[in-house]
């Protein structure tokens, strides 16, 4: 059974930092594309960052230079370091795993950026 479990969300002031974690089980983690997506109230879910099995990464323009995705294949973990957070980063953040047509989602973790 595949499980993706996010943690690390919370309330942070503008300019602050948070680190999200995603623990994966039930998949061959090292060969999957792992990603972070987010969905703000009233908006569609959007891709934030992707980590490919070859080590390359991809970021949405809105988070480039502020967010960093990383993965630990030995621990089946993927992380999202978020710096210089803005109110517009407020959303539920979801962990995603993709291999071919097999796609899985975590339950999401809330990130709120507010003073």
């Amino acid at each position: 059974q595949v499980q993706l479990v996010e943690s690390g969300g919370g309330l942070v002031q503008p300019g602050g930092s948070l680190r999200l974690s995603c623990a994966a089980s039930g998949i061959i983690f090292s060969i999957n594309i792992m990603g972070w997506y987010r969905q703000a109230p009233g908006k569609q879910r959007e891709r934030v960052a992707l980590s490919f099995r070859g080590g390359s990464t991809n970021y949405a323009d809105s988070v480039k230079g502020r967010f960093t995705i990383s993965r630990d294949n030995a621990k089946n973990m993927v992380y999202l370091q978020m710096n210089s957070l803005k109110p517009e980063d407020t959303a539920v953040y979801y962990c995603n795993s993709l291999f071919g047509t097999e796609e899985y989602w975590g339950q999401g973790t809330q990130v709120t950026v507010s003073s």
Side-chain angles (χ1 to χ4, degrees), residues 25-82:
S25 60
I27 58 175
I28 306 175
F29 184 85
S30 62
I31 64 173
N32 282 36
I33 299 172
M34 300 301 299
W36 288 96
Y37 290 72
R38 67 186 181 187
Q39 187 167 18
K43 294 188 177 181
Q44 289 188 331
R45 190 173 296 189
E46 63 175 354
R47 174 182 52 81
V48 175
L50 297 175
S51 171
F52 298 89
R53 57 182 178 265
S56 60
T57 57
N58 180 274
Y59 296 93
D61 288 342
S62 59
V63 306
K64 280 181 182 176
R66 301 189 297 122
F67 291 11
T68 303
I69 188 171
S70 61
R71 63 196 291 168
D72 185 335
N73 289 336
K75 296 182 178 179
N76 284 10
M77 296 288 296
V78 62
Y79 307 98
L80 186 67
Q81 178 67 43
M82 305 186 294

